[in-house]
């Protein structure tokens, strides 16, 4: 199988209680691509960058065998830029700057050879862009995964509902699940969201783990308790990329397969937060990854209680 | 083994978004005793009540074979009373009334035959009362478990430190673990608290589950995602009672044993929140309990990822 993702490729400037960065490589599609490629998945990105996007960042994609044929460069434009500041609890952040730049008129074009991708991951973007990507696919992918956020619920509800009705899986955080469904209970929220289209709902709770619902079952993936969360930027996208990448590699779309995929997503996300930006994800070794999976297993495994 | 617990036996008046109650049976020792007895553990309570404590509540203890020899009745006094109101997120509550009454001069007396109890559960109370109970034991129990709260950190720090230095396990919520340790990271908080005395730290995160730390390992017990949390009162005490009761029954104080004990505590607490007060815990059948344990197993179990 191969994975296609549409999302931002961006510059981020990040400030946390542990330090701050200048403009560094960021964007949802970047994290999704890196996470999936770390699992050996064939992943292609559809996105847009400006003429200011440096060659060394292009090489990050190339080195990780991430397909960039679908990343359009607008030479006279500037790359999307986000600056943000986290506080001590790391669950809250202030956006200090959001410069859409080339993203403002982003018209995604899927390369012909990628229109038959079996797994499609729609990164958090304007629902019209997500819809355009969905419509360009030659046939319905075996699995379409949607990430979105409260901003689109507030500004483009009807379009968002169109996208939601067409996807198999939605990943969303707990506050957004509550807003989208109007239900406080996450169990009820998941049921309401399933009625909007997706059979599978993944609710991300940050440091509190993630819940996976299909119409009959529920599964919980913990977050690894860490000594320090250094920089949470990209954790959600890494999670989604690990999830989609694992499914691309195994092709197992059963609930058992989805369970393992959210553990893999959680494991990869636990690395992302250990350093600024994509740094830890880029340098990650397969030995570290395997050992982290073992830690996740030990975190929740116990013998039967009689 | 037998379990001894000291804690409040009280009247609660509770208001939640789902309804409200008049004065009903409550108190930490009540929940601890009921939870432990549901597991078949021999449990005795040391506490104090007023002359207004009704016979029908006494019968609840008797019916569940909970030892009440150590519950002193002060005929001319009134039973401890707490009234509180929960908001929609159920993690926050306002205390509307706290009438200490007979608790104000509570001088705990352990019946002679209970001074050799192997497991001692110190419910949330003034540290001086907890210390008095510790000092009355004929020999050091095989396991002493402490529950406490921020109120005692703010008002009786030195006494609390004395108690903490003498116990094997502390159960505490996440905000309190941060306050007690001065560390934001729960991993670091657990380490700091271990340096104060207890080898084992249990951090309760309410709807986000619970973490169990010894000096080398960490384990995570999820909370069951529920359609509705009806009334969270007593959930933490039920958790502690299930934990202590399970250890009393198995006698397995290894980390494996502790892991199973916090799952059992979480499972019992998931019942308590389904109805007001002790109602659900009282009517709980062993079939419901077994089936809930199965749900917990399914919630986090997955096959190895390769």
């Amino acid at each position: 199988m191969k994975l296609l993702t549409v999302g931002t490729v961006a510059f981020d400037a990040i400030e946390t209680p542990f330090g701050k960065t200048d403009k560094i490589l960021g964007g949802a599609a970047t994290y999704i691509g890196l996470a999936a490629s770390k699992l050996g998945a064939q992943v292609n990105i559809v996105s847009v960058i400006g003429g200011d996007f440096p060659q060394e960042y292009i090489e990050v994609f190339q080195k990780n065998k991430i397909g960039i044929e679908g990343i359009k460069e607008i030479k006279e434009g500037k790359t999307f830029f986000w600056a943000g500041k986290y506080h001590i609890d790391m669950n809250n952040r202030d956006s200090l700057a959001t410069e859409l730049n080339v993203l403002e008129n982003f018209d995604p074009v899927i390369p012909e050879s990628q229109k038959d991708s079996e797994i499609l991951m729609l990164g958090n973007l304007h629902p019209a862009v997500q819809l355009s990507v969905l419509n360009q696919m030659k046939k319905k992918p075996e699995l379409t995964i949607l990430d979105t956020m409260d901003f689109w619920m507030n500004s483009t509800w009807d379009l968002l509902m169109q996208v939601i009705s067409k996807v198999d899986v939605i990943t969303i955080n707990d506050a957004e699940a509550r807003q989208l469904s109007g239900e406080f209970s996450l169990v009820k929220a998941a049921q309401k969201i399933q009625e909007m289209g997706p059979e599978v709902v993944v609710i991300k709770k940050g440091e509190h783990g993630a819940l996976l619902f299909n119409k009959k079952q529920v599964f919980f993936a913990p977050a690894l308790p860490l000594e320090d969360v250094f920089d949470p930027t990209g954790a959600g996208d890494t999670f989604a990329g690990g999830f989609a990448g694992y499914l691309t590699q195994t092709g197992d779309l059963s609930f058992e397969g989805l369970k393992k995929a959210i553990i893999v997503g959680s494991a990869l996300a636990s690395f992302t937060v250990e350093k600024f930006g994509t740094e830890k994800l880029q340098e990650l070794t397969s030995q570290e990854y395997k050992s982290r999976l073992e830690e996740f297993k030990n975190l929740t495994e116990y013998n039967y209680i009689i």
Side-chain angles (χ1 to χ4, degrees), chain A:
Chain A
M1 289 197 179
K2 59 182 188 280
L3 168 62
L4 179 65
T5 188
V6 59
T8 55
V9 170
F11 293 131
D12 286 344
I14 302 157
E15 190 174 337
T16 80
F18 301 100
K20 59 186 289 185
T21 70
D22 287 330
K23 284 187 177 183
I24 57 172
L25 175 61
T30 304
Y31 286 100
I32 291 166
L34 279 170
S37 74
K38 282 291 166 184
L39 303 172
Q42 189 187 336
V43 52
N44 295 296
I45 293 178
V46 168
S47 192
V48 62
I49 53 176
D52 56 351
F53 198 76
Q55 181 59 25
E56 61 167 301
Y57 288 170
I58 296 284
E59 283 162 13
V60 170
F61 294 110
Q62 288 167 337
K63 194 178 140 207
N64 287 283
K65 301 192 179 63
I66 298 167
I68 55 172
E69 193 188 337
I71 303 184
K72 183 170 183 184
E73 185 190 358
I74 298 184
K75 283 213 189 305
E76 67 283 11
K78 286 174 71 185
T79 301
F80 171 52
F81 170 62
W82 176 79
K85 180 175 174 168
Y86 293 86
H87 304 285
I88 182 69
D89 87 346
M90 294 283 189
N91 286 324
N92 294 308
R93 66 185 192 187
D94 298 328
S95 284
L96 303 178
T98 304
E99 297 172 11
L100 287 180
N101 299 328
V102 293
L103 206 63
E104 192 145 14
N105 298 303
F106 176 32
D107 183 20
V109 180
I110 308 179
E112 206 52 42
S113 65
Q114 297 169 16
K115 290 185 176 172
D116 61 349
S117 297
E118 291 86 355
I119 312 255
L120 175 60
M121 170 79 228
L122 301 169
N124 173 36
L125 269 177
H126 196 298
V129 172
Q130 295 175 324
L131 214 50
S132 161
V133 167
L134 268 171
N135 290 336
Q136 288 175 56
M137 297 301 283
K138 232 184 294 186
K139 52 170 191 170
K140 193 173 159 21
E142 293 190 27
L143 197 78
T144 301
I145 306 159
L146 170 70
D147 190 31
T148 188
M149 69 183 296
D150 50 0
F151 182 79
W152 310 116
M153 296 174 205
N154 298 329
S155 58
T156 59
W157 178 267
D158 291 347
L159 266 179
L160 180 60
M161 284 299 123
Q162 271 191 59
V163 180
I164 288 180
S165 73
K166 291 173 194 286
V167 304
D168 305 299
V169 182
I170 184 170
T171 72
I172 194 167
N173 77 28
D174 42 1
E176 290 157 356
R178 286 174 172 141
Q179 180 176 348
L180 185 59
S181 64
E183 292 286 349
F184 186 82
S185 152
L186 295 179
V187 175
K188 287 186 178 172
Q191 288 163 355
K192 278 263 179 89
I193 295 168
Q194 284 167 337
E195 287 165 15
M196 299 172 187
E199 178 133 354
V200 173
V201 175
V202 177
I203 300 181
K204 300 175 286 184
K205 304 199 297 169
E207 59 163 330
H208 300 304
L211 287 162
L212 166 72
F213 295 90
N214 70 4
K215 288 189 178 164
K216 287 184 188 157
Q217 292 153 287
V218 55
F219 177 70
F220 176 78
L224 196 69
L226 294 169
E227 290 217 5
D228 286 306
V229 171
F230 196 79
D231 169 22
T233 310
D237 296 314
T238 304
F239 173 86
F243 178 79
Y246 183 78
L247 295 174
T248 304
Q249 280 299 78
T250 62
D252 177 4
L253 306 181
S254 71
F255 196 68
E256 266 310 306
L258 296 176
K259 280 157 68 169
K260 292 195 266 186
I262 76 161
I263 294 286
V264 166
S266 302
L268 288 173
S270 76
F271 286 114
T272 292
V273 303
E274 286 184 354
K275 294 197 174 178
F276 271 122
T278 60
E279 191 180 342
K280 183 68 199 176
L281 207 50
Q282 284 194 52
E283 71 192 22
L284 183 65
T285 68
S286 73
Q287 193 45 51
E288 287 175 307
Y289 168 65
K290 278 178 196 156
S291 145
R292 183 70 40 113
L293 285 182
E294 200 62 37
E295 283 184 79
F296 268 82
K297 193 77 187 163
N298 292 335
L299 189 58
T300 59
E301 196 171 51
Y302 59 93
N303 295 326
Y304 275 95
I305 296 165
I306 33 161

